[in-house]
Amino acid sequence: MEADYVIVGAGSAGCAVAYRLAEAGKSVLVIEHGGTDAGPLIQMPAALSYPMNMARYDWGYQSEPEPHLGGRRLACPRGKVIGGSSSINGMVYVRGHAMDYDHWAETGADGWAYADVLPYFKRMETWDAAGHGGDPDWRGKDGPLHVMRGPRKNPLFHAFVEAGREAGYEVTDDYNGQKQEGFGPMEQTVHKGRRWSGANAYLKPALKRANCDLIRGLVERVVMKDGRATGVALAGGQIVHARREVILAASSINSPKLLMLSGIGPAAHLAEHGIEVIADRPGVGANLQDHLEMYIQMASKLPITLYKHWNLLSKALIGAQWLFSGTGLGASNQFESCAFIRSQAGVAYPDIQYHFLPIAVRYDGKAAAEGHGFQAHVGPMRSPSRGSVTLRSNDPADAPVIRFNYMSTDQDWEDFRRCIRLTREVFAQDAFAPYLKHEIQPGVAAQSDDELDAVIREHVESAYHPCGTCKMGRADDPNAVVDPKGRVIGVEGLRVVDSSIFPRITNGNLNGPSIMTGEKMADHILECAPLAPSNDTPWMHPNWETAQR
């Protein structure tokens, strides 16, 4: 069992790397612990709440009790299936804001400014501008990843955007184009009515080549010899050899875990668990970040929400239509309108994201008891809180210790209160007058800072965007884990290429940036000249210093 390149993890970034390396003629072996993504529960976009809550497809991780959230343990789903988390996620497609990547470059990720990454976003996309509008000059036309918009037939999708306009915010026709800021249509990784995961877009085409193979197994550690990665050890004792490099793409939870099990990490922590230190890198497992969100839920006056389909018969009919024709409500994730806004004057670019949904429902699939309703998921984009992933033991079968340390600063609380109050203002606009009955959550009784804090503490949820635990930076940065080419600092023949390398979390959902990371890292692995930087200039609010909208 050997190949030029051994990739650990068939998730968003790993699939993209496998595709590009195989395309270049290299021999590639991808190792994934999870199994097949076949079947309607993964492939039907509207069924997204099912695979996320199934042990068959999800590692089932939870945070440690969060001290600032009343000791609650929050779910941290990670995909255990080909496609990784792109096979169990909400299929929302967001590139992130230009200034996110400029910040990466400014803090040591040389070559990862927006001008550098935009060409890779274009390379990976197929965007049907004729069918969906948008910003065609900023979009890709022939990449593996198909991106589309939902049909937006429900009037509530348009009410949300119009309410934002009435409240004085910008409207944008393409938040993934020149102008992220504003209210507008949301995009999804769906193609011909199916979830367009990393597996469908990248891995399955790559596996059609003779030089790319997939094996199932649990990687326990990276095999090191004289400071160089030479392969990986699987549960059961099998060694898979890498002639050139081992590439970790195992998620922001499992990539740092594997590094630590392999002797790469904070020396004192490794010594506690009896692990020989190969490279003392204190940044391994540190810098953990995530997005938190709250569901601001409103009861609807009119029976036009998706609640009318919240019964077995209607779900069966939707499923049957999708199975036979790939169309209907089953062919969309139902996140079809959204917004990115700035929380206050002096914030240079959006720091609040909205997903709008025409039903009041939780991620675990439990509908609001009040029946017909709608909701906006809202949360701050750049929390200053940082957490960690550490080892529970030196047993590879043990889940790691995940401490997000959510809401650990005063700014977190101020930001979240502002999110709730700004959202209430949007829902109070005339555009919602025909539909809005009353507020379900948080409920009108929660008005003061203390009352809102109590609701936040009890109801805030992860948006499932963990990242940052193997930070990318310059080789002389003691907290960096990989250099800007993904090479693990202090060892040879080993890279990390997933969302764990993000120096700081990007605006919005992380699937798009994770795939882009795989695309760009593939060029570094192949030692290709990077794609030429873009000269496109993103839109910035002209009065951002003095105006919130």
Side-chain angles (χ1 to χ4, degrees), residues 84-106:
S85 295
S86 73
S87 288
I88 68 168
N89 69 358
M91 290 155 283
V92 173
Y93 181 71
V94 183
R95 286 173 167 179
H97 194 278
M99 290 187 72
D100 291 327
Y101 300 103
D102 291 344
H103 179 269
W104 286 13
E106 289 160 9

Side-chain angles (χ1 to χ4, degrees), residues 319-396:
Q321 181 183 4
W322 179 84
L323 276 170
F324 289 113
S325 67
T327 62
L329 284 170
S332 170
N333 61 4
Q334 308 306 324
F335 291 115
E336 297 179 12
S337 284
C338 69
F340 291 90
I341 65 171
R342 292 175 301 107
S343 61
Q344 55 187 330
V347 175
Y349 68 106
D351 59 342
I352 293 174
Q353 180 187 16
Y354 288 104
H355 302 65
F356 180 79
L357 197 59
I359 185 171
V361 67
R362 291 186 351 197
Y363 254 138
D364 61 8
K366 293 179 181 173
E370 304 213 16
H372 280 284
F374 45 89
Q375 67 190 34
H377 301 193
V378 64
M381 289 290 95
R382 295 187 289 281
S383 166
S385 291
R386 295 292 180 269
S388 63
V389 173
T390 53
L391 294 177
R392 196 170 299 277
S393 75
N394 61 13
D395 182 350

